[in-house]
């Protein structure tokens, strides 16, 4: 990282677009605005709810995000922790909705949530300029759901949140479900029906070694192929074309044309070659990969008084060093120091 302290990059002055040394264009920024969460999902948390890392002020997130947008980012997803817990969220969304990309267009502005507070926040978020939400749900029956979240009444609360988000027009509404073998893989068929009945796109995600505890094994991952086969036996599926090269989910429609599911398979069908993403943690560190072993202290530079030009230069050079790929399942794999909830999922 010594290169970060060198003079202005010729590449930055001639072309402001973020790229990495592997030729990928980076246009997608995920920003965690708190690492607190009101759920204690058993595969994610050890049981603590509180923050492990500091939060920045809303104005500071805005300044840092604006710098990324000035470098070609077109898509911003707010996440956490649980982003709906964050005071100032509506104001942040309002300001982000006013930003314009390098191509003078509004940002593609989305948020990932557990949905617990979505019933009351959907309409204000939509009015503030949020375009869509992704809601995480790991079961479609209440007892299993509540066993996972460890919060009584959470299933009904989230269902009301999902319906409120759809009614507010935060669409297309996606539901993300992380599957763990022997734990919630009995929910697959139910989710397929849920997608059709609720008019949502359900996306199954392969479990990655990013939990606080030590749960992950290759055997616990339910691979893409198995998910497709299992749904296909009950409701025939047809594979759909990707909408863009960097799309993480393989898309499938139901053969009768009603409804869609997706499968995100970072473990069995890694999509690192098409990755267009970087992350900013709640304490203002850049992570160029979920599995990065190093973090880059962007906020530290801001706090030390760096001007926009210096911060842009830092972002540009940091992103240049983005990892080629993750190494899940390989002998040299090392778990990152932060788990998913503290990185920003
Ligand atoms: N609280 C918000 C939520 O529930 O969507 C945002 C943060 S949460 C960490 C983001 C997503 O990461 C959730 O869908 C969660 O299920 C997923 N997740 C957590 N641990 C994971 C893991 N080890 N592998 C894959 N996905 C994981």
């Amino acid at each position: 990282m010594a290169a970060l302290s060198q003079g202005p990059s010729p590449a930055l002055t001639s072309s402001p677009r973020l790229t990495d040394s592997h030729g990928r264009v980076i246009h997608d920024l995920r920003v965690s605005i708190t690492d607190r969460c009101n759920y204690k999902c058993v595969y994610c948390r050890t049981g603590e709810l509180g923050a492990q890392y500091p939060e920045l002020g809303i104005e500071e997130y805005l300044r840092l995000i604006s710098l990324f947008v000035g470098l070609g980012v077109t898509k911003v997803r707010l996440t956490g922790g649980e982003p709906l817990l964050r005071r100032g969220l509506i104001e942040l969304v309002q300001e982000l909705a006013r930003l314009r990309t390098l191509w003078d267009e509004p940002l593609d502005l989305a948020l990932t949530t557990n949905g617990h507070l979505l019933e009351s926040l959907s309409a204000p978020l939509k009015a503030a300029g949020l375009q869509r939400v992704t809601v995480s749900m790991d079961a479609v029956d209440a007892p299993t759901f509540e066993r996972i979240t460890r919060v009584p009444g959470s299933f009904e609360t989230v269902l009301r949140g999902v319906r409120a988000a759809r009614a507010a027009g935060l669409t297309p509404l996606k539901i993300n479900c992380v599957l763990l073998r022997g734990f919630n893989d009995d929910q697959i068929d139910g989710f397929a029906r849920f997608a059709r009945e609720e008019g949502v796109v359900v996306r199954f995600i392969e479990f990655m070694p990013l939990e606080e505890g030590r749960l992950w094994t290759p055997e616990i991952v339910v691979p893409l192929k198995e998910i497709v086969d299992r749904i296909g036996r009950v409701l025939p599926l047809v594979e759909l074309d990707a909408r863009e090269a960097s799309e993480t989910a393989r898309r499938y429609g139901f053969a009768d044309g009603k409804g869609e599911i997706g499968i995100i398979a970072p473990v069995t069908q890694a999509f690192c070659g098409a990755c267009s993403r970087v992350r900013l943690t709640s304490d203002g560190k850049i992570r160029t990969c979920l599995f990065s072993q190093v973090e880059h202290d962007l906020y530290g530079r801001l706090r030390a008084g760096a001007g926009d030009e210096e911060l842009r230069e830092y972002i540009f050079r940091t992103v240049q060093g983005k990892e080629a790929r993750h190494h899940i399942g390989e002998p040299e794999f090392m778990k990152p120091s932060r788990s998913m909830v503290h990185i920003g999922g």
Side-chain angles (χ1 to χ4, degrees):
M1 296 315 301
L4 290 175
S5 57
Q6 289 169 4
S9 150
L12 179 52
T13 38
S14 58
S15 156
R17 289 217 70 179
L18 281 179
T19 51
D20 68 13
S21 62
H22 309 285
R24 295 171 296 196
V25 176
I26 307 304
H27 53 78
D28 182 345
L29 176 68
R30 300 202 162 200
V31 185
S32 172
I33 54 175
T34 178
D35 71 332
R36 289 172 288 131
C37 190
N38 43 358
Y39 282 2
K40 293 182 283 189
C41 297
V42 291
Y43 64 87
C44 183
R45 320 291 311 271
T46 51
E48 278 298 309
L49 291 167
Q52 257 185 33
Y53 295 91
E55 294 170 10
L56 309 191
I58 290 295
E59 284 298 321
E60 293 170 325
Y61 288 122
L62 190 60
R63 178 163 171 214
L64 295 181
I65 295 169
S66 304
L67 293 171
F68 279 92
V69 173
L71 287 166
V73 159
T74 55
K75 181 171 171 183
V76 173
R77 177 173 292 274
L78 300 177
T79 182
E82 174 45 45
L84 301 192
L85 290 176
R86 182 57 207 258
R87 191 178 302 156
L89 170 65
I90 300 289
E91 292 74 13
L92 177 60
V93 170
Q94 271 166 352
E95 293 303 321
L96 292 176
R98 287 197 191 110
L99 290 184
R100 290 294 171 268
T101 68
L102 284 181
W103 299 269
D104 202 26
E105 287 173 354
L107 287 176
D108 178 358
L109 194 54
L111 177 143
T112 297
T113 172
N114 61 28
H116 195 78
L117 299 172
L118 205 47
E119 187 179 14
S120 59
L121 282 174
S122 287
L125 281 169
K126 179 71 184 179
L130 188 70
Q131 290 156 9
R132 41 206 176 82
V133 289
T134 298
V135 181
S136 304
M137 293 180 74
D138 299 313
V140 277
D141 75 74
T144 309
F145 192 91
E146 289 162 22
R147 211 165 47 239
I148 294 172
T149 62
R150 297 189 262 194
V151 173
S154 50
F155 180 75
E156 288 302 329
T157 309
V158 172
L159 193 56
R160 286 198 302 275
V162 166
R163 290 174 178 164
R166 212 185 38 210
L170 290 168
T171 51
L173 202 149
K174 293 178 185 155
I175 304 288
N176 279 358
C177 166
V178 178
L179 284 177
L180 282 76
R181 187 177 305 287
F183 178 75
N184 67 341
D185 59 331
D186 59 345
Q187 302 287 311
I188 293 177
D189 298 357
F191 264 117
R193 284 190 291 275
F194 185 83
R196 290 156 67 85
E197 285 159 13
E198 294 289 333
V200 294
V201 178
V202 172
R203 301 179 328 158
F204 298 101
I205 304 177
E206 290 177 348
F207 183 50
M208 294 179 277
L210 282 169
E211 72 283 22
E212 281 183 347
R214 290 187 178 275
L215 203 62
W216 194 89
T217 60
E219 293 73 35
I220 208 169
V221 177
V222 185
L224 176 141
K225 185 173 175 336
E226 180 179 333
I227 302 169
V228 174
D229 288 350
R230 282 173 64 171
I231 297 180
R233 268 182 244 134
V234 190
L235 291 161
L237 293 172
V238 283
E239 188 159 2
L240 305 174
D241 291 335
R243 273 181 291 237
E244 51 183 271
S246 60
E247 196 164 52
T248 51
R250 298 274 194 97
R251 300 166 57 227
Y252 297 84
F254 293 102
D256 65 3
K258 185 179 171 204
E260 179 181 324
I261 61 150
I263 302 176
I264 302 176
V267 180
T268 66
Q269 319 239 345
F271 37 80
C272 305
C275 185
S276 58
R277 209 169 291 159
V278 285
R279 288 178 156 80
L280 190 62
T281 61
S282 59
D283 57 339
K285 308 260 168 56
I286 301 173
R287 293 186 65 95
T288 47
C289 172
L290 263 179
F291 296 93
S292 292
Q293 296 297 322
V294 280
E295 300 182 336
H296 307 272
D297 191 5
L298 180 61
Y299 179 63
R301 281 161 176 78
L302 180 149
R303 215 180 32 191
D308 283 358
E309 204 45 52
E310 195 181 326
L311 294 174
R312 255 196 299 272
E313 180 73 21
Y314 183 74
I315 295 171
F316 189 86
R317 288 187 188 277
T318 299
V319 171
Q320 278 279 304
K322 181 172 162 67
E323 298 80 344
R325 61 187 183 90
H326 68 62
H327 295 272
I328 301 175
E330 298 172 20
E332 70 269 31
F333 176 79
M334 275 165 50
K335 227 171 143 173
S337 56
R338 292 195 199 210
S339 60
M340 188 70 134
V341 68
H342 302 295
I343 295 173

